[in-house]
Structures are given as structure tokens and as C-alpha cells.
Amino acid sequence: MKKPGSTGSPALLAVSSHLPETVPVSALQDGLSLSDQQIRRFTRLYGLDRICQSAQSEAELMLAAVGKLEELPGREEQVRYIVRAKGLRTTAPYPHNPVQEVRAELGLTRAETFAVADHGCATGLLALDVAATLLAEDGDPDALALVLFGDKTLTPFSQWVADVSIMGEGMAAALVGATGDHDRMLGYASRIHGRPDGQIDMTPEIAKQARQIYQDALEEVVLAACEQAGIGVRDLDLVLPHNVNRVSWTMTGDRLGLPDEKLFLDNIPATGHCFCADPFINHQSAARLGRLKPGDRYLMTSAGLGQAFAAMVFEH
């Protein structure tokens, strides 16, 4: 990624999201074998209320998000890359390939199409950095990348993270340019605190390790991204986090010295944790509500299974 303040910084040219119908947390109790105590923890303590669930396929959900990108029609020939950000390694049974279905449906036959994974719910920011790098090397100032965020929950394993959050099926899409006059990327940092055996499943041992390092690891990438952007954490006007739960973000805000009004947590009760789509769903919501103003510096940040952490700073 180019250095902050440089000419031609990569930018989010447009962001859209699709939020399907929702169900109350209590409706998932039997399917996920949740106890009454777990339901109370998720709702009363963690702030979850309704979870996005849909009968639509993953391709249909992604197409619904892309369909709301008003800046895309008429610019299809400029789309050089389609990057699929996957919080889960596998999101559809073989031989289905949802991102190729999206490519074909949109008629973007000239676009190189691939998926990025293995950073869990932090993969969305990784995908943006990959898209920005490819566009910078492309050499065509008019070239675009279409980045798709979010996952379909196919199994109970992918529907919740034990005692952390419940996953939703909201999707987001972003049109990325090599340059732009708003939503410019100023800094990016990521870090994986992986295990030698490569295991990411939240066993009791791994869950304990995750709790021990979570706040330190998240603070590390937030500070690094802000440093690359040439600002301090307290210079941020807004934080667009992953919607994991209210408690973790209250603790993070206190640790970073950020007041509650700088943390955009509105969607936690409305959507559930929609994998790597969360920061982009929050971006659209915040923009619609007038929480992002021209010149604001804001931060997107996420953490994923496998102890992957990422943060990215933008100027609106």
C-alpha cells in the first residue's frame, strides 16, 4: 500500500451491503444446542438480538450486495479483478463456485477472479490490500477491483463461535480504485499469532489463548495502522469494527482511550457477526447516518480465527 498522503492513494470508490431477513437469537437455541445461560449471555451481555439468516445461496447474496453498487453500471469493462474475501475456507459444496457464478452473472469475463482466505474474519482487510497492490502494479489508472465480503453459514460449526458471537449472513461489496478523492487508504497492519500445528478450531485450549492475547494483539495492529497513516489513535473520528460483541469493543475502546461515540456498534444487535463483511456493512450504515464527514479519519478493524488481527485507516 502506498504511503499516507502520497499522490494516487488507493481508495474505496463505493461500498454497498445486503442484509437479508433476521431471526432472534432465541430462535437458534435448539439448532445450536445453546443453553438458557448462553442465550442470556449473548443477548443481555454481548448485545446480540437478531441474526441475518437467508434462504438465498451465497452467490445470490453476493449479487444482491453488488446490485446496490450504483457506481458499477457502465464501468464493467474497467473491472480488472474480482477478489472474494472468505472468512471460511470452504463456503460451498463442490463443484459449486459462488464467485465464478457472480462473475458470469455480471458479465465480468475480462476480470481475473480469485478468493483470499486464511485470515478468518480479518480477511476482508487483507483482500482490500491485495486489490490495492494489484491495481498499483496494473498501471492503468482507470482499472478497478470488485471486492466481495461475507460468508454463508452452512453448518452449526460456522454458525457461531462458542461464547463469543453468533454469525450472520450479511454481505458487502466494494469497488476499489488505484486512486480516488474520498475514502483513501492511509495505513494497513496485520498480524497472525498462529500455532505451529496450524489449528484454528476454538478448542478450550485455543479459546483460552485467544482471550489472553486478544486485547494486546488488537491494540498492536490498530497502533501500527495509525502510525503508518501518520496519525494517533485519538485522531480517529470513528472506528468501524467487526460486530463480534459489545463487551469486547467496550474493553478495546477503554484500552485505546476512545470514547463510546467513536465506536460504531449500532449493527451488533441488528445483524450478528457477518464474518469479514462487518466493517463494510458498518461503513455503509455510518455513511447513511451521517457519522462519516468529508475529511474524517476512520479505522476498520477485525480479528479472525487462527488469531489473525488487522486494521486499516481511511480518510473519508
Side-chain angles (χ1 to χ4, degrees), residues 114-126:
F114 59 94
V116 177
D118 285 340
H119 280 210
C121 295
T123 301
L125 299 181
L126 171 66

Side-chain angles (χ1 to χ4, degrees), residues 272-287:
H273 178 19
C274 298
F275 298 92
C276 58
D278 280 344
F280 305 93
I281 292 171
N282 289 338
H283 180 284
Q284 190 179 38
S285 296

